[in-house]
Amino acid sequence: MMEYPLLLRTFLLRAAKFFPKKELVSVYPGETFRYTYADYFKRTCQLAHALGSLGIKRGDRVASFALNNHRHMELYFGVSCMGSVLHTVNPRLPLHHMAYIINHAEDKVLFIDEDLLFLIEGIKDQLKTVKHFVILSQSGKMPETSLSPVYLYDEWISGFPEDYDFPADLDEWSPAFICYTSATTGDPKGVVYTHRGLVLHSYAVAVTLGGSEDACILHIVPMFHANAWGGPFIGVMLGCKQVFPGRDVLNMESTCKMIAEEKATFTAGVPTIWMMLYDYLEKGGWHDFSSLKAIYSGGAPCPRYLMEGLNEKYNFPVVQAYGMTETTPLALAALPKSYMADWPMDKIYDVRSSAGLLATGLEMKIVNDKGEEVKADGKEWGEILLRGPWIAKEYYKDPERSKEYFEGGWLHTGDVGTINEEGYVNLVDRTKDLVKSGGEWISSVDLENAIMAHPKVLEAAVIGIPHPKWQERPMACVVPVQGETVTEDELKEFLKDKVKASWWIPDKFAIMNEIPKTSVGKFSKKDLREMYASGKIK
Amino acid sequence: MMEYPLLLRTFLLRAAKFFPKKELVSVYPGETFRYTYADYFKRTCQLAHALGSLGIKRGDRVASFALNNHRHMELYFGVSCMGSVLHTVNPRLPLHHMAYIINHAEDKVLFIDEDLLFLIEGIKDQLKTVKHFVILSQSGKMPETSLSPVYLYDEWISGFPEDYDFPADLDEWSPAFICYTSATTGDPKGVVYTHRGLVLHSYAVAVTLGGSEDACILHIVPMFHANAWGGPFIGVMLGCKQVFPGRDVLNMESTCKMIAEEKATFTAGVPTIWMMLYDYLEKGGWHDFSSLKAIYSGGAPCPRYLMEGLNEKYNFPVVQAYGMTETTPLALAALPKSYMADWPMDKIYDVRSSAGLLATGLEMKIVNDKGEEVKADGKEWGEILLRGPWIAKEYYKDPERSKEYFEGGWLHTGDVGTINEEGYVNLVDRTKDLVKSGGEWISSVDLENAIMAHPKVLEAAVIGIPHPKWQERPMACVVPVQGETVTEDELKEFLKDKVKASWWIPDKFAIMNEIPKTSVGKFSKKDLREMYASGKIK
């Protein structure tokens, strides 16, 4: 077979040549912008020339600081297909982390959405490698800014030729994208995606989840999250219509309107979004989901009531998938097998609310403390290890943490799970959140769910605290429902018949007003542990 | 991203681990054999051990001489996943070509269906490298044979362990399969398929044509044809039910029964099969196609009346695809685009009866004599050139012909075609069958179709014959319908308003009883040219 490299270029050229009339739609406040793959290709070519004029070469990093819109999509293929590397910066990171990752990636050019400009103004003096700033603006006016040198994207690219010879001789192992994970401890960790990895991930996602040219993909996942979960690449690979919702993505009325008007068939997002949607629908919000074929939920487990409610009441077909920045991200998908078609609904939802079945092309093992694979009985716990052609092999310029997480050629996900006899994985906890008590393990997640089932409890987070005899014992941090009080004794009594063993019941309960959260809205157990260590909670 | 090789092993292990209950069905005369992927995997492991016991190592070639059945399917993955190379020998080749390709590939072991044993008995003395013979038998009895040493497959593998450590460290560029094309001139040409090529082809076919775990694939394409067009690999990749029809494949009553009883969703085959099917249906043959989603037709153009008839009258959804042994084989697929949904049926059939649109992952150009790309106007002709990760880079141990067909890093398909503004290719002729007259080109295929439209003509083949002034001029070899006579003048008159220009009308018409055919049933223009040169036809 030919030594033909797997490059994003092949997808781009095919879309431009064979689907020039298909549409890309970008929604801005008060304006819906539409253009075709033919136009998209021309501007992508102009962008590549424009970057070349700044001296950007193969391997150079270029950053985007942008929401989901058509200019960001031009960066996706323009930067990577010319051989440079697109660093998608998460504008929700703490400011010092933003500066850190831009410096760590050594980004030379920074593309900034006009709406997000104020964030960059705040850190510009900390940026050591950025030589040029480019404003992505739909208004067409240069905003007031102290950045320099600064260009207005449309104006800047407009003078360049509308055709570009994207290199066919690029090595498929060349980096195309880089994305940083928001680490719970220490600096963010960078994951580099090669052309090969992204091409294979695109095929695998389309095969695993289903995809064809007649799909219309609505991009709810922010394009600064792990490759927007693959959607933009699959869209180009297949010549699909794609819709970029811009700032309006958190407005459920607007999202429902986009689904109906553009006849979206697929979208993806985190459960938080689907909770907002469910709330909107339960309040009688207008919707028309008749075009939808599947909605992929990932990033965190989708609560079963939410999945069932959306699916049964509103015919909003949620499919759970599992992955992480290190896995490009698809690793598992919770699709029932064909022979389960006549299973009772309850068992089907057991399958659909699991983390899923391994995507084709990867290898997985779930191993216990001794490194032995756990039994496929749905009960034995172990850490999920993954390997395959779209799994990261290391963290960028971080040999120490790379050694820890990629030992033995497998990604150690830090997620603890079970696998049942049908091969579906269920998550139990994060390895570092498990409570190690007397040589046994207690799942903080299971305990939290049990406590949160109490009608007076709003939130509960469980951490392990040091214990002289048992090594660790669980402690529960509990926020009561507004206007209610709840006592330790009440909770201990409540838990008696709800935990796996009596020694699972926490020794301590801290009743709090609020549980500290991370930048992505999860319970910050790191903060809770520090609060306990410093005596702030007891 | 990890340096994880693209290997068929990954597909095999996933099917065994996650779809152990899914079924493989193998039809024998009077018996339908069923087993699961779990059983399939065990026997595949035993086979790998058994081959190891004969000293078969990585890179060694092993040949199959078999129809579509479950043992052949065990060879598909057992041989390739242990690192050896499966050579699928076409039992329809002339005997001297069979001996040639087995010697050329240096096959060490030959697996033979009991039904085909007599063919090998006839050439056994010519086989220089085969050290062992293994009989694939459903009867369980060793047939009478002069081959030696010879083993009965089931008995032979039965003593070996049911688990095998298929190597994960195999290079993805390692050969996995080899298949020879039946060349119209000279010796057959070998095409080597790498693990990488087959894995990528599997993804691309599933993405292009649609595929999912709930599919049931009926293997009508012989497993000795180019990787049975990818079906067996896609089936394992996705954990699909697969049905192997064995000898009964040409019995349309039996084929229709299999489709209905096994609820086949996909199958593929050459137009000859679909003609037989259409004939069976037109005679009122029983059928139930309600499970079918798509039928892929390839190997030769599917006549439009046949496609329309099967689809419109019998809801038998024929999709035309284009490829060749050198392309693994999928290169183009004639699927309409989503925005064509409201086109009139006639225009839709123009699309569906074309050679198709380029599969995602490949590159194509259609070039004229000067090497320039033709206009996408559906009119300009050129040779179809392909490149990509599942396109052959050479013919096995044949540097001279490799140089000719793979010049400049592109496969020169030898097919002449047009491309229209929507990107669909239509075939015009084979390059070597075009008639070069006065610096212009005449399509022999177009002329043949025009002549065969005459009610008194059964068959017509057009060749170019040397001409002192015009270089070449067309000559038509015509077989009248039984009991009819047809004259040169009659045909010339008939063609007047049916050809592109008056100089297309052949100078000579040879009225014959029969046109010589190749081993695969096509007109043998090589024989016709020789007959003309030697004066046998004038």
Side-chain angles (χ1 to χ4, degrees), chain A residues 219-369:
Chain A
H219 294 290
I220 289 182
V221 179
M223 288 171 77
F224 49 78
H225 275 186
N227 310 306
W229 300 1
F233 303 104
I234 294 163
V236 173
M237 172 175 87
L238 298 171
C240 300
K241 178 178 172 183
Q242 303 194 51
V243 183
F244 302 87
R247 282 203 312 206
D248 263 0
V249 70
L250 296 182
N251 175 337
M252 288 303 121
E253 189 181 339
S254 155
T255 294
C256 285
K257 207 173 138 213
M258 278 184 231
I259 290 171
E261 285 183 358
E262 304 299 338
K263 298 200 190 330
T265 57
F266 296 100
T267 188
V270 292
T272 313
I273 301 277
W274 311 137
M275 278 187 205
M276 290 166 63
L277 177 71
Y278 193 52
D279 185 53
Y280 165 81
L281 295 171
E282 287 288 272
K283 287 177 180 149
W286 183 88
H287 64 284
D288 172 2
F289 298 150
S290 56
S291 59
L292 285 177
K293 290 185 180 165
I295 301 306
Y296 302 103
S297 179
C302 182
R304 184 157 163 167
Y305 84 89
L306 183 63
M307 185 184 282
E308 287 195 30
L310 284 169
N311 192 34
E312 303 298 326
K313 286 200 219 170
Y314 301 104
N315 203 22
F316 189 86
V318 178
V319 174
Q320 177 141 273
Y322 166 87
M324 46 184 62
T325 307
E326 292 85 341
T327 65
T328 309
L330 185 77
L332 309 173
L335 294 159
K337 299 176 187 174
S338 51
Y339 58 75
M340 296 173 179
D342 56 0
W343 280 20
M345 279 317 277
D346 195 51
K347 277 187 78 180
I348 289 286
Y349 275 108
D350 284 348
V351 170
R352 290 184 54 175
S353 63
S354 75
L357 205 64
L358 187 68
T360 194
L362 298 181
E363 273 187 87
M364 176 180 66
K365 56 182 183 181
I366 301 187
V367 296
N368 64 18
D369 275 5

Side-chain angles (χ1 to χ4, degrees), chain A residues 2-4 9 14 18 21 172 196 203 207 213 237 337-338 358 360 363 391 393 422, chain B residues 2-4 9 14 18 21 172 196 203 213 237-238 337-338 358 360 363 391 393 422:
Chain A
M2 288 180 181
E3 280 145 36
Y4 185 90
R9 166 187 180 274
R14 180 172 177 272
F18 296 107
K21 299 176 189 170
E172 68 187 33
R196 171 186 164 101
Y203 279 125
V207 164
E213 177 270 329
M237 172 175 87
K337 299 176 187 174
S338 51
L358 187 68
T360 194
E363 273 187 87
I391 309 291
K393 67 170 177 181
E422 287 289 354
Chain B
M2 289 180 179
E3 279 146 36
Y4 185 90
R9 165 188 181 273
R14 180 172 178 272
F18 297 107
K21 300 177 190 172
E172 68 186 34
R196 172 187 165 100
Y203 278 125
E213 177 270 330
M237 172 175 86
L238 298 172
K337 300 176 188 175
S338 50
L358 187 67
T360 194
E363 273 187 86
I391 309 291
K393 68 171 178 181
E422 287 289 354

Side-chain angles (χ1 to χ4, degrees), chain A residues 181-215:
Chain A
T181 69
S182 50
T184 44
T185 52
D187 295 321
K189 296 169 285 185
V191 175
V192 173
Y193 305 97
T194 59
H195 280 264
R196 171 186 164 101
L198 289 167
V199 165
L200 288 166
H201 182 259
S202 303
Y203 279 125
V205 173
V207 164
T208 304
L209 302 179
S212 47
E213 177 270 329
D214 58 359

Side-chain angles (χ1 to χ4, degrees), chain B residues 94-164:
Chain B
L95 289 176
H96 69 284
H97 274 172
M98 278 186 216
Y100 169 84
I101 66 176
I102 292 171
N103 289 331
H104 188 262
E106 300 170 73
D107 299 325
K108 292 192 172 168
V109 184
L110 180 51
F111 290 83
I112 311 158
D113 259 0
E114 54 190 339
D115 297 337
L116 302 172
L117 182 56
F118 70 99
L119 287 167
I120 296 297
E121 299 275 0
I123 57 166
K124 70 170 202 288
D125 296 335
Q126 299 169 49
L127 304 182
K128 294 171 192 159
T129 60
V130 177
K131 299 271 179 287
H132 307 272
F133 299 91
V134 185
I135 307 296
L136 307 176
S137 160
Q138 184 66 5
S139 70
K141 281 179 216 131
M142 177 64 87
E144 246 184 74
T145 175
S146 64
L147 301 177
S148 175
V150 63
Y151 319 101
L152 203 55
Y153 180 86
D154 287 23
E155 197 180 283
W156 175 60
I157 66 167
S158 67
F160 291 96
E162 293 181 338
D163 206 359
Y164 186 92

Side-chain angles (χ1 to χ4, degrees), chain B residues 447-466:
Chain B
L447 262 184
E448 287 158 8
N449 286 336
I451 299 168
M452 284 196 279
H454 191 287
K456 290 188 188 168
V457 173
L458 180 69
E459 289 178 341
V462 170
I463 55 170
I465 54 172

